CSV table of all heavy atoms in Angstrom, one decimal:
chain,number,residue,atom,x,y,z
A,1,PHE,N,22.2,25.5,34.3
A,1,PHE,CA,23.2,25.8,33.3
A,1,PHE,C,22.7,26.3,32.0
A,1,PHE,O,23.2,27.3,31.4
A,1,PHE,CB,24.0,24.4,33.0
A,1,PHE,CG,25.0,24.5,31.9
A,1,PHE,CD1,26.2,25.2,32.1
A,1,PHE,CD2,24.7,23.9,30.7
A,1,PHE,CE1,27.1,25.3,31.0
A,1,PHE,CE2,25.6,24.0,29.6
A,1,PHE,CZ,26.8,24.7,29.8
A,2,PHE,N,21.7,25.7,31.4
A,2,PHE,CA,21.1,26.1,30.1
A,2,PHE,C,20.4,27.4,30.3
A,2,PHE,O,20.3,28.2,29.3
A,2,PHE,CB,20.2,25.0,29.6
A,2,PHE,CG,20.9,24.0,28.8
A,2,PHE,CD1,21.1,22.7,29.4
A,2,PHE,CD2,21.5,24.2,27.6
A,2,PHE,CE1,21.8,21.7,28.7
A,2,PHE,CE2,22.2,23.2,26.9
A,2,PHE,CZ,22.4,22.0,27.5
A,3,ALA,N,19.8,27.7,31.5
A,3,ALA,CA,19.2,29.0,31.7
A,3,ALA,C,20.3,30.1,31.6
A,3,ALA,O,20.1,31.2,31.0
A,3,ALA,CB,18.6,29.0,33.1
A,4,ALA,N,21.4,29.8,32.2
A,4,ALA,CA,22.5,30.8,32.1
A,4,ALA,C,23.0,31.0,30.7
A,4,ALA,O,23.4,32.0,30.2
A,4,ALA,CB,23.7,30.4,33.0
A,5,MET,N,23.1,29.9,29.9
A,5,MET,CA,23.5,29.9,28.5
A,5,MET,C,22.5,30.8,27.7
A,5,MET,O,22.9,31.5,26.8
A,5,MET,CB,23.5,28.5,28.0
A,5,MET,CG,24.7,27.7,28.5
A,5,MET,SD,26.3,28.3,28.0
A,5,MET,CE,26.3,27.9,26.2
A,6,ALA,N,21.2,30.7,28.0
A,6,ALA,CA,20.2,31.5,27.3
A,6,ALA,C,20.4,32.9,27.6
A,6,ALA,O,20.4,33.8,26.7
A,6,ALA,CB,18.8,31.0,27.7
A,7,GLU,N,20.7,33.3,28.8
A,7,GLU,CA,21.0,34.7,29.2
A,7,GLU,C,22.2,35.2,28.5
A,7,GLU,O,22.3,36.3,28.0
A,7,GLU,CB,21.1,34.8,30.7
A,7,GLU,CG,21.3,36.2,31.2
A,7,GLU,CD,20.0,37.0,31.2
A,7,GLU,OE1,18.9,36.4,30.9
A,7,GLU,OE2,20.0,38.2,31.5
A,8,SER,N,23.3,34.3,28.4
A,8,SER,CA,24.5,34.7,27.8
A,8,SER,C,24.3,35.0,26.3
A,8,SER,O,24.9,35.9,25.7
A,8,SER,CB,25.6,33.6,28.0
A,8,SER,OG,26.7,33.9,27.3
A,9,GLU,N,23.4,34.2,25.7
A,9,GLU,CA,23.2,34.3,24.3
A,9,GLU,C,22.5,35.6,24.0
A,9,GLU,O,22.8,36.3,23.0
A,9,GLU,CB,22.3,33.1,23.8
A,9,GLU,CG,22.0,33.2,22.3
A,9,GLU,CD,21.1,32.1,21.8
A,9,GLU,OE1,20.7,31.2,22.7
A,9,GLU,OE2,20.9,32.0,20.6
A,10,ARG,N,21.5,36.0,24.8
A,10,ARG,CA,20.8,37.3,24.7
A,10,ARG,C,21.8,38.4,24.8
A,10,ARG,O,21.8,39.4,24.1
A,10,ARG,CB,19.7,37.4,25.7
A,10,ARG,CG,18.6,36.4,25.5
A,10,ARG,CD,17.4,36.8,26.4
A,10,ARG,NE,16.8,37.9,25.9
A,10,ARG,CZ,15.8,38.6,26.6
A,10,ARG,NH1,15.5,38.2,27.8
A,10,ARG,NH2,15.2,39.7,26.2
A,11,ASP,N,22.7,38.4,25.8
A,11,ASP,CA,23.7,39.4,26.0
A,11,ASP,C,24.6,39.5,24.8
A,11,ASP,O,25.0,40.6,24.3
A,11,ASP,CB,24.6,39.1,27.2
A,11,ASP,CG,23.8,39.3,28.5
A,11,ASP,OD1,22.7,39.9,28.5
A,11,ASP,OD2,24.3,38.7,29.5
A,12,HIS,N,25.0,38.4,24.2
A,12,HIS,CA,25.9,38.3,23.0
A,12,HIS,C,25.1,39.0,21.8
A,12,HIS,O,25.7,39.9,21.1
A,12,HIS,CB,26.2,36.9,22.6
A,12,HIS,CG,27.0,36.8,21.4
A,12,HIS,ND1,28.3,37.2,21.2
A,12,HIS,CD2,26.6,36.3,20.1
A,12,HIS,CE1,28.7,37.0,20.0
A,12,HIS,NE2,27.7,36.4,19.3
A,13,ILE,N,23.9,38.7,21.6
A,13,ILE,CA,23.1,39.3,20.5
A,13,ILE,C,23.0,40.9,20.7
A,13,ILE,O,23.2,41.6,19.8
A,13,ILE,CB,21.7,38.7,20.4
A,13,ILE,CG1,21.8,37.3,20.0
A,13,ILE,CG2,20.8,39.5,19.5
A,13,ILE,CD1,20.5,36.5,20.0
A,14,ARG,N,22.8,41.3,22.0
A,14,ARG,CA,22.7,42.7,22.3
A,14,ARG,C,24.0,43.4,22.0
A,14,ARG,O,24.0,44.5,21.4
A,14,ARG,CB,22.2,42.9,23.7
A,14,ARG,CG,22.0,44.4,24.1
A,14,ARG,CD,21.3,44.5,25.4
A,14,ARG,NE,22.0,43.8,26.5
A,14,ARG,CZ,21.5,42.7,27.1
A,14,ARG,NH1,20.3,42.2,26.7
A,14,ARG,NH2,22.2,42.1,28.1
A,15,ASP,N,25.1,42.8,22.4
A,15,ASP,CA,26.4,43.4,22.2
A,15,ASP,C,26.7,43.5,20.7
A,15,ASP,O,27.3,44.5,20.3
A,15,ASP,CB,27.5,42.5,22.9
A,15,ASP,CG,27.4,42.6,24.4
A,15,ASP,OD1,26.8,43.5,24.9
A,15,ASP,OD2,28.0,41.7,25.1
A,16,LYS,N,26.4,42.5,19.9
A,16,LYS,CA,26.7,42.5,18.5
A,16,LYS,C,25.8,43.6,17.9
A,16,LYS,O,26.3,44.3,16.9
A,16,LYS,CB,26.3,41.2,17.9
A,16,LYS,CG,27.2,40.0,18.3
A,16,LYS,CD,28.7,40.3,17.9
A,16,LYS,CE,28.9,40.1,16.5
A,16,LYS,NZ,30.3,40.3,16.1
A,17,THR,N,24.6,43.8,18.3
A,17,THR,CA,23.7,44.9,17.8
A,17,THR,C,24.3,46.2,18.1
A,17,THR,O,24.4,47.1,17.2
A,17,THR,CB,22.3,44.8,18.4
A,17,THR,OG1,21.8,43.5,18.1
A,17,THR,CG2,21.4,45.9,17.8
A,18,LEU,N,24.8,46.5,19.3
A,18,LEU,CA,25.4,47.8,19.7
A,18,LEU,C,26.7,48.0,18.9
A,18,LEU,O,27.0,49.1,18.4
A,18,LEU,CB,25.7,47.8,21.2
A,18,LEU,CG,24.4,47.8,22.1
A,18,LEU,CD1,24.9,47.7,23.5
A,18,LEU,CD2,23.6,49.0,21.8
A,19,GLU,N,27.5,46.9,18.7
A,19,GLU,CA,28.7,47.1,17.9
A,19,GLU,C,28.4,47.5,16.4
A,19,GLU,O,29.0,48.3,15.8
A,19,GLU,CB,29.5,45.8,17.9
A,19,GLU,CG,30.2,45.4,19.2
A,19,GLU,CD,30.8,44.1,19.2
A,19,GLU,OE1,30.9,43.5,18.1
A,19,GLU,OE2,31.3,43.6,20.2
A,20,GLY,N,27.3,46.9,15.9
A,20,GLY,CA,26.9,47.2,14.5
A,20,GLY,C,26.5,48.6,14.4
A,20,GLY,O,26.8,49.3,13.4
A,21,GLN,N,25.7,49.1,15.4
A,21,GLN,CA,25.3,50.5,15.4
A,21,GLN,C,26.4,51.5,15.5
A,21,GLN,O,26.5,52.5,14.8
A,21,GLN,CB,24.3,50.7,16.5
A,21,GLN,CG,22.9,50.0,16.3
A,21,GLN,CD,22.0,50.2,17.5
A,21,GLN,OE1,22.5,50.7,18.6
A,21,GLN,NE2,20.8,49.8,17.4
A,22,GLU,N,27.4,51.1,16.3
A,22,GLU,CA,28.6,52.0,16.5
A,22,GLU,C,29.4,52.1,15.2
A,22,GLU,O,29.9,53.1,14.8
A,22,GLU,CB,29.4,51.5,17.7
A,22,GLU,CG,30.6,52.4,18.0
A,22,GLU,CD,30.1,53.8,18.5
A,22,GLU,OE1,29.0,53.9,19.1
A,22,GLU,OE2,30.8,54.8,18.2
A,23,THR,N,29.5,50.9,14.5
A,23,THR,CA,30.2,50.9,13.3
A,23,THR,C,29.5,51.8,12.2
A,23,THR,O,30.2,52.5,11.5
A,23,THR,CB,30.3,49.4,12.8
A,23,THR,OG1,31.1,48.6,13.7
A,23,THR,CG2,31.1,49.4,11.5
A,24,ALA,N,28.2,51.7,12.2
A,24,ALA,CA,27.4,52.5,11.3
A,24,ALA,C,27.6,54.0,11.6
A,24,ALA,O,27.7,54.8,10.6
A,24,ALA,CB,26.0,52.1,11.3
């Protein structure tokens, strides 16, 4: 469960980074 949570957190950080780049 926590392994999946760790993977989900990485995906979330990556998505937020891409959103920030697109906004820029």
Side-chain angles (χ1 to χ4, degrees):
F1 171 74
F2 278 104
M5 289 293 290
E7 184 75 5
S8 176
E9 182 180 3
R10 294 189 72 192
D11 290 341
H12 175 70
I13 293 173
R14 183 167 56 249
D15 290 343
K16 295 297 289 184
T17 300
L18 293 175
E19 288 176 9
Q21 291 177 347
E22 188 60 32
T23 300

